[in-house]
Each structure stands twice: as structure tokens, then as C-alpha cells.
Amino acid sequence: VEYRQGAAEETGLDAGSAFQNLWYALYRARPASGDSITIHVLPGLYSPSLTGERSVHARSYVSITGVDSGTTIFDRASGDGLIFCSNDSNLTVSGLQIRGSNASGGVIHLDHSKVLVTGCSIKNNGCVFCGGNGPSGIACVNQTDAVITHNAILGTYGIGIVCEQSS
């Protein structure tokens, strides 16, 4: 994934024809049974107004990897969370910065899923609708089996990590 103004044909097969947003890359990702694939997100600023970025539903066996959380930035522009997992397994979310969300269920929401979240930076997100008493960072619910390691959650209005009925 790479933001390029006026991009030509996007095949997603190399950096020269990278998809311009994560939503479309996940839409096109179709791992073969038992195989894992990784969506590599290049450095840049991804937002609804700049790249058409929107909330995404992750897929089993499809990992999302940014170069690092300092240069691979998803600005949610006061919108919803970025990544939702429901009944997904065998995937990793790493090297992303997610900022500016007003999500009431966390910017990374994991529901009955098996996920590794590592090396991410979650900054300046809020949970205004829940009065600061709900998740504004990572939410693990409904028997999620998550490994959350080496992440930074900064400047949030709400709870950084919530695990309910999960491990």
C-alpha cells in the first residue's frame, strides 16, 4: 500500500503498482487455504480525505505490516476505529501508527479472534461517546486470544487496552 497521486493501474504485485489504501488491499487479499500473506504498508499518511481510507475488517491469514509506527500513519480524522477482527485467526498487525479516532470500541477491535499486535503506536484517540470509560486503544472481547507487545498508547481519552472475557 502506498499513496501516489494520480496512480496508474494498481495490481498490488509490487511497489510501483501498490494499492493506495489498506481497505482495497484487504478487499483484494485472497489467501489460499492454509497460506498466509502480508500486506506491506509503505511509509506515508493515510486518511479518509487523502487516500480514501476507511475502517477495515481484517481477514484470517492476512497480516498488515507497516515499515514502522513513526512513518506509517493512519489518521482517522475523528472517524471510527481502523481495524476490526471478528472470528479471525493467524494474523499480525504491526508497525502502524493510528491516530485521531473517536472510536467507542477501540481503534483495533478484536472479537473472538487470535491476533498478534506489535510495534504499533496508538496516539490521540478518544472515546468521547463513552465519557472516557471505554476502550480508545485496543479492545479484546468475546474470548479473543491476543498477544499485545511492544506497542505505545499515548494521549488517549479512554482506556488504552481493554480485555473482556479474553486472554
Side-chain angles (χ1 to χ4, degrees):
V1 178
E2 174 185 35
Y3 172 69
R4 296 175 329 282
Q5 201 165 22
E9 183 180 350
E10 299 172 344
T11 64
L13 298 175
D14 57 49
S17 64
F19 299 126
Q20 289 194 44
N21 60 49
L22 179 60
W23 176 86
Y24 191 66
L26 272 165
Y27 171 76
R28 294 281 305 264
R30 304 278 187 234
S33 181
D35 288 339
S36 295
I37 61 174
T38 300
I39 295 173
H40 296 277
V41 185
L42 297 175
L45 178 62
Y46 301 87
S47 71
S49 62
L50 185 62
T51 61
E53 200 60 68
R54 56 178 102 168
S55 299
V56 298
H57 183 269
R59 293 177 186 256
S60 294
Y61 301 99
V62 179
S63 292
I64 304 164
T65 301
V67 173
D68 65 64
S69 64
T71 61
T72 309
I73 303 166
F74 287 87
D75 190 330
R76 299 304 301 144
S78 297
D80 291 335
L82 179 64
I83 299 171
F84 297 90
C85 298
S86 180
N87 295 306
D88 295 300
S89 62
N90 299 310
L91 65 106
T92 298
V93 176
S94 66
L96 306 178
Q97 180 184 130
I98 306 168
R99 68 183 190 195
S101 172
N102 194 20
S104 60
V107 294
I108 299 175
H109 185 90
L110 311 173
D111 181 357
H112 200 262
S113 296
K114 184 172 181 160
V115 181
L116 167 63
V117 180
T118 186
C120 291
S121 175
I122 298 171
K123 298 171 119 178
N124 303 323
N125 294 288
C127 184
V128 175
F129 301 115
C130 56
N133 293 320
S136 60
I138 301 170
C140 304
V141 299
N142 194 19
Q143 301 175 349
T144 287
D145 182 9
V147 175
I148 301 169
T149 181
H150 298 96
N151 298 287
I153 300 175
L154 308 163
T156 61
Y157 178 70
I159 302 168
I161 299 174
V162 171
C163 292
E164 295 176 352
Q165 301 174 347
S166 300
S167 60

